[in-house]
Amino acid sequence: MAMQPGFGMYAPQQLGSQHALPGGGPRLQLPSLGGHAALGLPPTTLPQGGAFPQPLGSPLPAPMPYSAFLARANGGQFIGQQLGTPRGPCQLSAPVAAAAYGPYLGQPLQPLGQQPVQGMGGGVVKTADGQMRFQGGSLGRNGPTPTLSFGNQMGTLGNYAADVETMQENQICEQLGRTRFPSMAVAGPQAPSLPSGGALDGLLLEPGCARDLLARYPEVFRSEPPSEAGRKPHASGTFHGFNPGSYARKIFSPDAICRALRAADALWGGAPNVMRLMVPPRGRLVIVGDTHGQLEDVLWLFFKYGPPSAENQYLFNGDIVDRGGHALEILLLLLALKRDEPSCVHIIRGNHEDQTACTTFGFKAEIDSKFGLEGAGGWIFHLLTTQFFPLLPIGAVVSDVGGGFSAVVLHGGVPVRCPGLNGIVSIDNHINRVDRKQVTVQKQLNQRSVDDHILFNLLWADPAGPGENPAAGAGAGGRGNSYTEQETADFCSINRMRCVIRSHQVPKDGKGYEYHHNGRCITVFSASNYCGSQGNQGAVLLCAGDTYAQQGPRPSEHMAPAWPQLASVLAAVSFDAPQAERQLAASRAEANIHTPMGAVNSLSVQGPHQAPQWPQQQQQQKQQQQQQQQKLAPGLSALQQIEQFAAEQIVRHKRVLFVELASRDPQHHSIMPMAVWQACMAKILPEVPPVWQDLARQWELPAMVQYVEFLHRFQIVEQLSSSSSATHTDVFKAMGQLRIVISDIAAHDLLASADGDFNGSVSLEEFQGFLQAWKIQIPVWQAAAVYEGLVWSLKNQPNVEDILLAVALISRSGETGKNEVDANGINWQDVAKGVGETIMRASGGGSLVGFFRSCDVDRDGFLSPDELLAKLGDMLPRMGKQYTEEQLRTLVQHMDSQGVQNDRVSLIEFLRALGPRSLARELAGALLREVLKPIYFYRMMLEAYFQRFDPGSNNMVTVAQFQQGLQEMNRQLVADGGTELSEYQLQAVVEIASGNQPQVHYRAFLRALRVVDTVKRAGLVSLGQHSLWSFFASK
C-alpha cells in the first residue's frame, strides 16, 4: 500500500508479529505483507496504558498509537485525552479491530481469540450540552460488528450517512417543536383551472384498469435517472426526467390526479385508526417498509412477490413520499389498485405523509418540478397534504385467521413517556381514539395534547439499542422518545401482540430488516440503496397464510435494478407470469446487480445464447450499465453526502474553527500539518462522522493544510436569478453602517490601537478588540467574517495597515459610497480608485497607509488639501496621469466627503476613497454571506412558518408575512445562544428575497441558498468551459 504524505505517521510492520488490543483484549496475528504499510495514524499523545506493547524484535515505536482502531472500528470514539473531544474511552473486540486494521494492510487480520464487546452501543447521541454527536460503535446500534468488506468502507459510510440523516431530521423537528407558528386564520384556497389530457389518464381513472397501468409503468419510466438524494439533498424529489410542460402531457394531467384523489374519502374516510387485517389463509400479506419515492423498488416488489390481489395483499407502512422522484406515481398506482380491489392494498401513514415533512424533504419539490411552482401543482399538493394524507390509518394489527399470531404494525413504534399519559399505551383505548386527521410536526411542543404526543411518537419514535439511555438517544426530543426493550415488551403484553413491526429507519447492518428487543420489534425498510448512497438491501416481511400462525412474518430481501434493467426484465417476463418464472428472473437479475465488492455485471434474462447486438443495442446496454453503476456506487455517494454535511458544519462553526486552528499555529503561517488539522476538525465538529482522512482526499488537501484557504472555500451562496449586484451592494451599505466616530481620528491613534502587542500583525482577538475600543457596532460573528475575508485576500495574517483599510472599506455609508459624477461626466469615485491603484504601483508594493504617512508633513495624523495636492501633483504625472489643479482639488474634496467634511482628510477617509475595489467586494461578500447564514440554517423552520400563510401552496407570501417569519427566526437564534440579526440586516434579507416587490417567492429564495465548495465549483466551471471549447474546436 503506497504511503500517503500528510496523513500521519507510517509504521512498518514486522512479519508475523503480534499485538495486544487496548483494554486487554485478544491478540492479533499480523499477516505477512512482504513490506511496509502506511497506517495513516495521527501522531497523538496517548494516555497511560493506551499503547500497543512493543513486540520482541519489532521495529515499531513504543508506544504505538492506536487511533486508527478507534477511528475506523468504533465510530471515531477517540480516547478523550487524545483529541480533547467529549467522547469517552472504550474497549475494542478483536473482530472490530481486525475490521479497522484490515483496510490499511490490504488484507484482513485474523483474531487469535474472541471476547464479547462491552459497552459499545452506537449511533448518534445527544450530550449534556444538547448537541448531537457520534459515539462509538456507530457501525450498528446493537453493537459495533462491522458490515463492510475488508478494504471496502461502503457499509461504514452508508451507516454514517444514515446517522447524518437522523441528526438532520432531529434538528429540524426540534426547531419546529419550539416554533411559535402564526395563529391567524387564512382562507382556504380556490381550485384553479386544471388541465386535462395526460397520456395515462384513462388507465388511472377507468375502473378495472389498475393492472394495465402497472404493466405500463416500467416502459414509460425506462429512461428515468436514479435517486441521488443522498449526495444532492437540495434536489430531493426532482430525480425524474420531466418538466411542468411534459409531465401533464406524457403521464398524468392535474385534472386526472385531482379526480383520482376524490376516491380517497370513500376508501379510507371511515377506516379506524388501527386496521384489523387477516392474512389470507390460502395466500399471503406482504408488509412493505419505506419506499421514499423509489418507484423502481415498488415495481420490483410487485414483480418478485406478485401483483396485489385479494389473495396477495400488500400493507405499505408509510413513508411513500419524499427523497426520490416518483412518490406521486406510487401513490396514484396504489389508489388505482385499491379502487379496483379494496382488500389488495392497505396503507399506513408515515411521518413523511405530513404537510411540513414533505414540504421539507422533497415531495413538494417533486410536485413543483412536475407541475410548476404555482397553480395546478400547489392545488395538487394541497389536496394530498390536507385531504388525502390525514385520511390514512396510523396502524394495523395483522393476525392469522385463528388468532394464533398477532403483530401490530406502526410506522415509528411504541409511544412512551408522553406528557400527560399515565401507564402503557393501549391500542383500543389510546391509539384508536387519537385524532389522526392533523399535522404531526407543525405544532409547538409545549402546546401539544396527549393525543398529539401519541400520534407524533407513533410516526417518529425509534427503538433504543442495548445499553442506550433512551433519554439521550438519537430519537430523544426531535424524533420522538426512544423506547426500550422493556417498554416494547410491556406494550406487547398489554395489547396481546407477539411483536411490533415498524419501518422509519435504514437498518444499520446493510440489510433491509433488523430485529430489536429480543425479536419483539422488527424494522423493515424497502427502499434498496436508499437515496443512492446507503448501499442497503431492501426488504419486505412475508406473512404466509399457511405458516404465519406458527412462524410469524418472514423477511425477504431484494435489490431493485436500475430503470433500464428493470424495464428489460419486465419486458421479458410479465407481472402475470407464473411465480416460479418470476422468481427465477428476479434471482438472476439481482445476482448480476450486486457482487460482494459492489461490481456490476451485465444483465441478461435471455440465457447464455443471445442474438448478436446491433450498434444501437450496444449503446443502450452501455447506458443501462452506466445507470446501474450509478445506482450501486453507494460508497462514493455516501461519502459525498457526508461531505456536504461537513461543509455545512464548517460554515456554521467557521469562527470557532478559525480560532482553534489559529491557536495551533503560533507562528501565524496559516498552515499546519494534516494530523493537526484533523485533530482540530474532530474536536470542534464532533457531529461530523469521523472520516476526516476520506474527506481530506475528497478535497485534495496537501500534507500541509493552508487552513485559511480551506475555511474560505466553503461559502453560502444565493442563486436567485432576480437578484442583482446592485441590490447586494445596497444591502452591504446597510449592513456596514459603522459609527462615524472613526472617520475623523488621527492616523497615529488608529495605528497604535490596532496592534495590542506591537508585533506588526493583528490577530482576530486584536481586531475584535480594536472594533470594541472604537465603539464600532458590528456583531462578533460578522467581525470574524470580515477578518476571514481579509486574510483570504492577503493570503496571510493582516498587519495594522491592512486592518485599517478593511475598517475603512466596510464602514462606508450609503452617502460616502455613492457615485459622484460632475457636469463633465467624470465619475470621481472611479477616478479615486484609479489613483489608489496608481499609488500602489508607484510605491513598488507599498501601502496606501504608507503613502498617507509620507504626505503628512506636519505629523498631525491628518492631510491638509495643500499636503495632498503637493504629493499628488508630483507623483501622478510621473506615472503618466495628467490632472489639472482644479481636478485634483475636486479629488481631494471627494476624499474629504468620505466622513466628516472639515477641510482635512483623515486616514479612514483617504482609505475609503482610494481602497481597492476587489477587497471591498470580498469584504462585502463576507458580510452578506454571514447575514444569510442564519437564514440557511433555519430555512426549514421558515418554510414551514410561511406555509401557514400559503394554504394553496403557491409558494408566495407578502413582505410583511416574510418579515414576521424572520422575527421568529431571530427569537430562536437568541434562544440558541446566537446573535440576532439587526434591523439593517433583516431589511437586507428582505431586499434580497423580494427584489423590492410586494410579495416574496419564499420557497425559491430559501431553496436558492446553498453551501458550496467554491474550489470544486470553480473546477467544474473550468471543466465545463474546457469541454465547450473542445466541442467547438472540433467542429
Side-chain angles (χ1 to χ4, degrees), residues 635-901:
L636 178 60
S637 295
L639 184 58
Q640 290 171 332
Q641 182 177 353
I642 296 168
E643 179 185 359
Q644 178 62 28
F645 177 70
E648 292 177 354
Q649 299 311 303
I650 288 168
V651 169
R652 189 170 204 158
H653 302 289
K654 189 177 287 187
R655 182 174 66 88
V656 180
L657 276 168
F658 181 84
V659 171
E660 176 66 23
L661 291 164
S663 72
R664 306 291 291 272
D665 178 27
Q667 301 303 316
H668 307 301
H669 292 152
S670 299
I671 193 169
M672 62 177 49
M674 173 68 68
V676 178
W677 171 85
Q678 289 185 43
C680 293
M681 300 302 290
K683 176 181 177 180
I684 301 301
L685 302 179
E687 64 273 17
V688 175
V691 291
W692 291 108
Q693 286 190 4
D694 302 290
L695 293 174
R697 294 185 183 96
Q698 284 287 99
W699 293 324
E700 298 180 350
L701 298 183
M704 298 296 291
V705 180
Q706 298 181 6
Y707 61 86
V708 174
E709 290 189 13
F710 168 76
L711 292 177
H712 190 80
R713 69 187 284 178
F714 302 103
Q715 302 289 353
I716 290 179
V717 299
E718 173 269 315
Q719 300 176 326
L720 274 180
S721 58
S722 61
S723 297
S724 65
S725 57
T727 301
H728 286 201
T729 302
D730 292 341
V731 167
F732 168 63
K733 292 171 187 173
M735 292 187 298
Q737 295 274 355
L738 304 180
R739 286 186 181 275
I740 201 68
V741 66
I742 65 167
S743 295
D744 200 41
I745 299 297
H748 46 74
D749 291 333
L750 288 172
L751 291 167
S753 63
D755 184 13
D757 56 11
F758 302 101
N759 67 350
S761 63
V762 180
S763 67
L764 174 59
E765 291 77 13
E766 288 176 323
F767 178 55
Q768 292 172 331
F770 169 80
L771 297 177
Q772 293 173 1
W774 290 101
K775 297 181 172 58
I776 298 174
Q777 296 179 340
I778 180 172
V780 173
W781 48 269
Q782 280 202 336
V786 172
Y787 188 84
E788 177 209 337
L790 191 59
V791 173
W792 165 254
S793 298
L794 299 171
K795 308 301 182 187
N796 208 341
Q797 188 165 18
N799 58 32
V800 177
E801 297 178 359
D802 301 322
I803 290 297
L804 293 181
L805 177 60
V807 170
L809 293 175
I810 66 173
S811 62
R812 293 181 304 169
S813 69
E815 289 299 313
T816 63
K818 69 180 180 181
N819 288 330
E820 298 178 12
V821 181
D822 66 9
N824 297 317
I826 299 176
N827 186 318
W828 287 101
Q829 187 178 38
D830 289 344
V831 171
K833 298 300 181 185
V835 169
E837 293 170 359
T838 302
I839 292 172
M840 296 290 287
R841 290 197 303 271
S843 60
S847 68
L848 291 174
V849 175
F851 181 85
F852 180 96
R853 299 179 74 178
S854 71
C855 295
D856 187 12
V857 177
D858 59 10
R859 297 290 184 261
D860 66 345
F862 299 93
L863 298 184
S864 67
D866 290 339
E867 287 175 323
L868 266 172
L869 288 171
K871 189 73 172 180
L872 292 174
D874 176 61
M875 185 270 296
L876 290 176
R878 289 189 285 107
M879 296 297 294
K881 303 292 184 180
Q882 300 295 331
Y883 295 97
T884 66
E885 182 176 349
E886 182 181 355
Q887 288 175 328
L888 288 178
R889 288 190 179 278
T890 304
L891 176 61
V892 172
Q893 291 174 359
H894 170 75
M895 296 181 195
D896 192 21
S897 72
Q898 301 300 300
V900 179
Q901 214 158 356

Side-chain angles (χ1 to χ4, degrees), residues 602-603 606 610-622 624-625:
S602 61
L603 178 67
Q606 300 175 353
Q610 300 185 19
Q613 291 184 322
W614 297 101
Q616 183 178 3
Q617 293 174 307
Q618 292 175 340
Q619 180 64 28
Q620 184 180 33
Q621 184 185 56
K622 182 178 180 181
Q624 292 175 358
Q625 291 178 352

